[in-house]
Amino acid sequence: MRIDTNPIVRLEDYRPSDFLIDSVELDVRLHPTETRVIATLAMRPNPEGRPDAPLALDGDELNLKSVALNGRTLAGEEFEASPQALTIAQAPRQPFTLTIETEINPTTNTKLMGLYRSSGNYCTQCEAEGFRRITYFLDRPDVLSVYTTRIEAEGDDAPVLLGNGNPVESGTVDGSDRHYAVWHDPHPKPSYLFALVGGRLGRIAKNFTTMSGREVELAIYVEPGKEDRADYALDALERSMRWDERVFGREYDLDVFNIVAVSDFNMGAMENKGLNIFNDKYVLASPETATDMDYAHIEAIIAHEYFHNWTGNRVTCRDWFQLCLKEGLTVFRDQEFSSDERSRPVHRIAEVKTLRARQFLEDSSPLAHPVRPTQYREINNFYTATVYEKGAEIVRMLKTIIGDEDFRRGMDLYFDRCDGTAATVEDFLRAFADVTGRDLSHFARWYEQSGTPRVKVKGRYDPDAQTYRLDLAQSTSPTPGQVKKDAMAIPVALGLVMHDGSPSNGTCDRVDSRGVFLLDKPEDSIAFTGVTSLPVPSLFRGFSAPVKVSLDLPNEELLVLLRHDMDAFNRWQAAQTVAMRLLAALSTGAEVSDAEIDAFSAALASFMDRDACEDPAFAALVVTLPSEADIAQEIGRDVNPDTIHRARSEMRRRIGLSCANHLRRFYESLTDTGPYSPDAASAGRRSLRNASLDLLAAADPGVGEALAVQQLESAVNMTDRLASLSVLTTLPGEAREKAIARFGERYRNEPLVLDKWFTLQAAIPENGTLERIKGLMQHPAFSIANPNRVRALIGSFAMLNQVQFNRADGAGYRFLASIVLRTDELNPQLAARLLTAFSTWRMMENTRRSHAEEALRSIAQKPNLSRDVGDIVSRSLEESQGK
Ligand code: BES
Ligand code: ZN
């Protein structure tokens, strides 16, 4: 019989586990190549399971040493074992104890799932299905157990031993140079939240008193010597804990909270109970090595993983189809935190930029799927922008529709009801339906239907009747597996803006007290009465729903919003919409008059006159044009990245020229005084100053080069240094090459800084870049086994360098395909993520499209692909929409 190694898992097939595991005692003896794991499981049949089912435990590349039932070692014929499974056909119908001994090799574990080594330390990653690489288990999120972990290791090899929960006991092992530590986690949890760490690590710590007066010790462990680079992360942790108490009433529930930074990690970070493990890139920061953006990411990710303690850990997921229940909700929570800690409108714009760049792109690609998928072949491929970012938008829409107070009451009810359980999206929605008495079944479609709805809007003013009428129509294009689409419940936050900026005087009874109209039919019309002059509609304020909007308003009217809208998001949006119209037209060879470009530049200039100094961070966003990838997405078909690149460069040049005086003034006045601080206001000034430099360089490369070289020499922080190097990379020549070489030399012992250096070079939109990248792969700091290095050099080439990745000769595609195949042998998750760069292939013009298809097919026909890569490549090639 041929075993299907690629079975499809379906939501509709969910059934409860046949057995439960009440407690787990793990005895782990760490050894570089022969780690022994003895698991003692207190088990019983699940009353909700099938009465005569065999006991089937999951494994992955495991080596079984022995298995005992109630203390009696089982003979070979009493069980069946393979690296993937351990099955006992006749398991007891009463509670029993199963003792399993396995041996694993952390050194050869290059997948970075399960127990592995990073810089000589031991660490684990178990989400989603990594625990089964440590011991045989019911490795599914609805099996919750209380864990006690004993970790033993050579004292010199691993002086620090950490586990989930609270420390219980530690000591030396008599007659040896080994020592041990015992950890106990009283909160039942699924296996994906298990973690342990052993190694030589430096530590910083601080005490925290929770709102009810409990004492908690917070600690961060890093590579020895880098302790001071963890200060900002520790501060962010403390602020996150305070915020969750204040905003959601949620308190921490153990005596210690530990974070460990490791340098080999597939993701950003992981929320293991009481023992978060982080990619060191999201912990370590100093003004010399980290940019303002790095600081912001550290703050957000520290918060995100901490917030999982309630949304993910205390209330976990019934199955992996419910992933958005923890991830979408937790992203929403970390976004709210960052908005409160920084500038809300600026943060909102950043969120929407990522949503559009990643999620809208995914939704229009062959990889489109619902926020709650209904089937998967490899769950690792569903940690997507759709589950995360669109999942967060759904929570935000819910809050917009029901209001702040009911939202908080609904969250409280959800926590009350579901604490200690493995829940579903239905449980979540039910809490809000119950506190509000609303029927949320229509709203629930957001979890089920994939694709980005498009809302077409027409406005009509009747001066005689003094009414303004809006006709709205929604539609969603087909996506894989879903041809027919239903109307969604779309909250439209809106208002009218008068040309002279005077307060709007119209009213509309379909708009609620919070300014929201709910569009829940395919078409609808609303009318404002008492409108005394022609208004401009401001729609989807704050980006109130994840939709695309088509609005037939001339540029001049849109630019009224940039000037007068009370909603900062829509002021930014207005400028972006106009810029996008011009860029898309220029890119596709459509007629664009100089007058149109001049009018836009003039609007930007007068914006700078009036508002830029009030909020530099916001101003920097307004003067930054949509990216080349954004423009490609807007064009949507027969894309030629070369014409897009030329159009965008030309626009930057024109804006740089016509706004030169303002830009000069910003560049000169917004210099830092005093020591570096990563706070949002200081970061905002740096970002406007550096955006000004970029436009000045676009207008006059000579001036730009001189300014950038000077800034690179005199910069006292990484933000300014990197920004100037980035401007230089757009200016071919000797100065650039010299600057690149010096930067590489200066930071040769700083891997995280070299990553930025790799990324900048990989993004150079010139023909030599592919050769440059191949050369950098020989750099002593580069390693194909380290995900951060690979993503910095090769991932950013594929994601950021539109022109060179999508070369007309196909060399960019062939290069990426070769790297995908190479990394797949070491680390399938990394390979599969790189491969998603191909998801845009169908929107390219013919020549490029056929080169991309050929590269994809060359991957697909390769034998022994991982499930991760096999899944992505086959969905990417699938014959379009619906089946
Ligand atoms: N639970 C995830 C980490 C994870 C993802 C583990 C996929 C296994 C597979 C964690 O909470 C997470 O979401 N991390 C994000 C960062 C976050 C700020 C969105 C990440 O790692 O990118
Ligand atoms: Zn998460």
Side-chain angles (χ1 to χ4, degrees):
M1 188 184 84
R2 193 175 159 275
I3 300 167
D4 189 357
T5 52
N6 243 352
I8 294 182
V9 185
R10 292 193 163 79
L11 170 58
E12 64 194 19
D13 293 342
Y14 173 83
R15 55 182 165 75
S17 175
D18 295 317
F19 291 87
L20 299 174
I21 306 176
D22 293 319
S23 71
V24 179
E25 270 174 46
L26 275 185
D27 186 348
V28 182
R29 297 183 200 156
L30 292 174
H31 180 278
T33 54
E34 292 159 6
T35 292
R36 277 296 167 120
V37 179
I38 303 169
T40 308
L41 314 178
M43 303 193 65
R44 63 190 159 97
N46 184 356
E48 286 166 40
R50 297 168 301 171
D52 296 309
L55 172 60
L57 302 178
D58 307 299
D60 183 9
E61 300 187 62
L62 285 178
N63 175 3
L64 178 67
K65 290 293 163 184
S66 70
V67 52
L69 186 65
N70 292 326
R72 182 179 68 82
T73 301
L74 295 186
E77 65 277 8
E78 293 176 281
F79 63 91
E80 243 183 81
S82 75
Q84 287 83 251
L86 172 61
T87 309
I88 300 176
Q90 315 272 288
R93 305 316 303 167
Q94 299 299 317
F96 58 94
T97 303
L98 197 65
T99 312
I100 304 167
E101 187 173 351
T102 49
E103 189 186 290
I104 52 183
N105 185 340
T107 301
T108 56
N109 184 356
T110 58
K111 294 183 177 168
L112 314 185
M113 282 294 276
L115 177 71
Y116 64 94
R117 301 196 89 190
S118 174
S119 313
N121 298 321
Y122 298 90
C123 66
T124 56
Q125 170 57 37
C126 291
E127 187 178 3
E129 297 178 335
F131 192 70
R132 62 183 68 181
R133 294 169 61 77
I134 296 173
T135 187
Y136 293 99
F137 206 73
L138 297 172
D139 194 10
R140 45 187 288 166
D142 59 349
V143 171
L144 309 188
S145 324
V146 171
Y147 286 69
T148 307
T149 312
R150 181 182 181 282
I151 314 162
E152 188 189 301
E154 199 87 48
D156 287 346
D157 199 23
V160 174
L161 299 173
L162 305 172
N164 302 107
N166 297 319
V168 180
E169 193 197 326
S170 63
T172 51
V173 179
D174 288 345
S176 77
D177 32 22
R178 295 178 73 78
H179 74 139
Y180 72 93
V182 180
W183 291 78
H184 178 73
D185 178 5
H187 301 281
K189 65 168 175 289
S191 51
Y192 82 85
L193 291 172
F194 171 83
L196 71 78
V197 167
R200 316 182 143 278
L201 295 160
R203 174 183 197 265
I204 61 166
K206 122 175 1 163
N207 290 320
F208 181 89
T209 309
T210 69
M211 62 201 254
S212 72
R214 297 201 22 247
E215 289 297 317
V216 181
E217 177 162 60
L218 316 179
I220 301 187
Y221 292 84
V222 298
E223 188 187 308
K226 300 214 165 136
E227 291 83 351
D228 56 339
R229 296 193 192 180
D231 290 341
Y232 184 77
L234 188 54
D235 177 63
L237 174 61
E238 196 182 4
R239 287 185 284 121
S240 308
M241 295 175 81
R242 213 44 94 199
W243 185 90
D244 213 15
E245 291 183 342
R246 185 164 50 81
V247 177
F248 282 93
R250 298 293 124 190
E251 194 175 350
Y252 187 60
D253 53 7
L254 288 166
D255 304 338
V256 298
F257 187 85
N258 286 322
I259 292 176
V260 180
V262 301
S263 40
D264 299 79
F265 202 72
N266 278 339
M267 303 294 295
M270 178 64 209
E271 70 266 25
N272 317 298
K273 184 79 187 192
L275 178 55
N276 289 1
I277 297 182
F278 271 62
N279 186 326
D280 59 2
K281 159 180 190 187
Y282 295 119
V283 172
L284 301 175
S286 68
E288 177 67 19
T289 58
T291 62
D292 292 332
M293 223 212 289
D294 292 326
Y295 279 94
H297 284 151
I298 289 170
E299 178 179 78
I301 301 188
I302 290 275
H304 177 96
E305 307 309 336
Y306 173 72
F307 296 157
H308 269 314
N309 193 54
W310 276 94
T311 49
N313 303 3
R314 291 288 290 252
V315 182
T316 195
C317 299
R318 187 192 72 172
D319 54 67
W320 291 119
F321 297 102
Q322 320 297 327
L323 185 58
C324 65
L325 180 67
K326 75 177 178 84
E327 295 302 349
L329 177 55
T330 305
V331 169
F332 169 77
R333 277 153 52 69
D334 82 53
Q335 291 174 341
E336 284 297 293
F337 168 72
S338 293
S339 302
D340 284 347
E341 297 285 300
R342 293 165 176 261
S343 150
R344 184 166 281 271
V346 166
H347 199 262
R348 186 64 184 142
I349 293 167
E351 289 159 21
V352 174
K353 282 172 76 156
T354 340
L355 181 82
R356 286 179 174 150
R358 300 185 50 227
Q359 200 280 322
F360 282 17
L361 189 80
E362 185 166 70
D363 241 354
S364 65
S365 86
L367 301 178
H369 57 273
V371 171
R372 180 168 65 183
T374 55
Q375 56 173 64
Y376 61 78
R377 261 175 297 186
E378 172 52 64
I379 187 56
N380 284 322
N381 290 339
F382 283 84
Y383 289 76
T384 60
T386 297
V387 169
Y388 276 67
E389 256 72 44
K390 191 173 178 180
E393 292 302 322
I394 299 179
V395 177
R396 182 171 288 105
M397 284 191 284
L398 180 63
K399 186 176 184 224
T400 301
I401 292 171
I402 69 178
D404 297 0
E405 271 175 39
D406 280 350
F407 180 75
R408 172 65 200 270
R409 292 203 297 137
M411 285 299 297
D412 287 348
L413 183 61
Y414 170 65
F415 289 128
D416 270 0
R417 276 184 186 165
C418 299
D419 188 12
T421 72
T424 61
V425 166
E426 282 75 14
D427 294 322
F428 178 70
L429 288 178
R430 197 173 304 121
F432 297 93
D434 289 353
V435 296
T436 60
R438 273 175 184 261
D439 177 1
L440 293 174
S441 52
H442 186 196
F443 181 78
R445 255 179 222 166
W446 280 108
Y447 288 98
E448 284 146 26
Q449 189 163 289
S450 55
T452 308
R454 180 172 286 280
V455 178
K456 290 199 172 134
V457 191
K458 276 204 195 96
R460 224 161 291 152
Y461 180 58
D462 181 339
D464 299 330
Q466 304 216 321
T467 56
Y468 187 75
R469 195 181 125 146
L470 283 169
D471 296 320
L472 301 102
Q474 60 161 307
S475 62
T476 306
S477 299
T479 52
Q482 282 186 356
V483 183
K484 249 198 62 35
K485 300 288 183 180
D486 293 318
M488 308 296 284
I490 301 175
V492 191
L494 79 177
L496 300 182
V497 175
M498 297 298 139
H499 281 251
D500 62 358
S502 60
S504 159
N505 43 13
T507 57
C508 173
D509 57 10
R510 305 276 308 276
V511 175
D512 72 15
S513 59
R514 294 185 295 274
V516 178
F517 161 67
L518 191 65
L519 173 67
D520 56 4
K521 299 197 275 282
E523 289 173 16
D524 209 341
S525 297
I526 58 174
F528 288 81
T529 55
V531 185
T532 51
S533 64
L534 174 73
V536 182
S538 170
L539 302 163
F540 295 97
R541 281 180 161 164
F543 196 71
S544 61
V547 301
K548 297 186 174 175
V549 187
S550 312
L551 176 63
D552 66 2
L553 279 189
N555 289 347
E556 310 84 85
E557 289 193 26
L558 271 176
L559 290 172
V560 170
L561 299 181
L562 171 62
R563 175 151 209 170
H564 293 304
D565 203 332
M566 63 176 211
D567 182 68
F569 177 85
N570 270 3
R571 297 179 65 204
W572 170 81
Q573 181 61 63
Q576 290 288 301
T577 305
V578 175
M580 184 62 100
R581 285 178 180 175
L582 298 172
L583 287 163
L586 280 172
S587 304
T588 52
E591 194 63 43
V592 183
S593 70
D594 283 355
E596 285 176 272
I597 299 180
D598 292 343
F600 178 59
S601 303
L604 286 186
S606 77
F607 165 78
M608 290 186 214
D609 266 339
R610 286 187 321 266
D611 311 274
C613 295
E614 256 165 64
D615 190 348
F618 178 72
L621 291 167
V622 171
V623 303
T624 303
L625 296 176
S627 73
E628 292 175 23
D630 295 338
I631 303 165
Q633 198 189 139
E634 173 72 15
I635 296 170
R637 48 191 299 228
D638 291 325
V639 167
N640 180 341
D642 293 336
T643 61
I644 293 176
H645 179 73
R646 281 197 291 272
R648 191 173 184 276
S649 301
E650 176 58 12
M651 271 279 275
R652 279 169 57 238
R653 192 181 71 84
R654 297 275 294 268
I655 293 170
L657 283 173
S658 54
C659 301
N661 290 338
H662 295 90
L663 297 168
R664 265 284 181 184
R665 193 155 43 74
F666 293 148
Y667 190 73
E668 275 148 24
S669 65
L670 292 168
T671 45
D672 271 352
T673 53
Y676 174 86
S677 154
D679 69 273
S682 316
R685 285 191 295 274
R686 282 185 288 270
S687 88
L688 181 56
R689 181 164 189 259
N690 287 320
S692 303
L693 174 61
D694 178 75
L695 289 168
L696 288 169
D700 185 337
V703 168
E705 185 176 286
L707 290 176
V709 166
Q710 193 210 347
Q711 177 170 328
L712 189 62
E713 293 301 313
S714 59
V716 293
N717 61 69
M718 183 49 71
T719 305
D720 290 337
R721 180 159 301 168
L722 198 70
S724 50
L725 187 62
S726 168
V727 166
L728 279 176
T729 61
T730 65
L731 309 169
E734 218 178 294
R736 167 174 91 183
E737 299 312 321
K738 226 175 94 192
I740 289 175
R742 283 188 55 157
F743 189 99
E745 189 49 34
R746 177 174 187 141
Y747 295 105
R748 66 176 180 283
N749 296 320
E750 295 286 354
L752 295 175
V753 180
L754 288 179
D755 282 349
K756 305 175 195 305
W757 183 72
F758 287 144
T759 297
L760 279 188
Q761 295 179 75
I764 297 177
E766 295 165 22
N767 277 327
T769 294
L770 209 43
E771 285 314 306
R772 195 189 282 264
I773 292 174
K774 289 177 186 164
L776 287 169
M777 289 178 71
Q778 306 305 316
H779 190 280
F782 183 81
S783 159
I784 195 83
N786 180 289
N788 286 356
R789 298 305 91 78
V790 173
R791 284 188 290 247
L793 186 57
I794 298 158
S796 21
F797 168 70
M799 305 285 186
L800 302 178
N801 197 336
Q802 293 289 303
V803 168
Q804 289 302 309
F805 173 57
N806 300 292
R807 277 164 62 132
D809 65 3
Y813 301 139
R814 286 191 294 277
F815 172 68
L816 189 68
S818 75
I819 300 291
V820 166
L821 290 176
R822 247 180 94 190
T823 48
D824 196 33
E825 290 175 12
L826 293 169
N827 186 337
Q829 277 185 51
L830 176 63
R833 290 217 169 239
L834 292 174
L835 182 56
T836 60
F838 276 105
S839 70
T840 50
W841 75 277
R842 279 185 199 278
M843 68 187 199
M844 292 296 147
E845 53 76 30
N846 262 318
T847 314
R848 289 174 170 86
R849 197 188 323 144
S850 54
H851 282 305
E853 181 168 5
E854 216 173 286
L856 280 168
R857 295 209 184 278
S858 78
I859 296 172
Q861 53 86 39
K862 190 84 188 215
N864 303 322
L865 285 182
S866 68
R867 195 155 51 157
D868 309 59
V869 166
D871 173 43
I872 300 282
V873 78
S874 66
R875 279 193 283 142
S876 299
L877 282 166
E878 231 152 63
E879 227 3 275
S880 100
Q881 327 282 281
K883 37 162 203 210

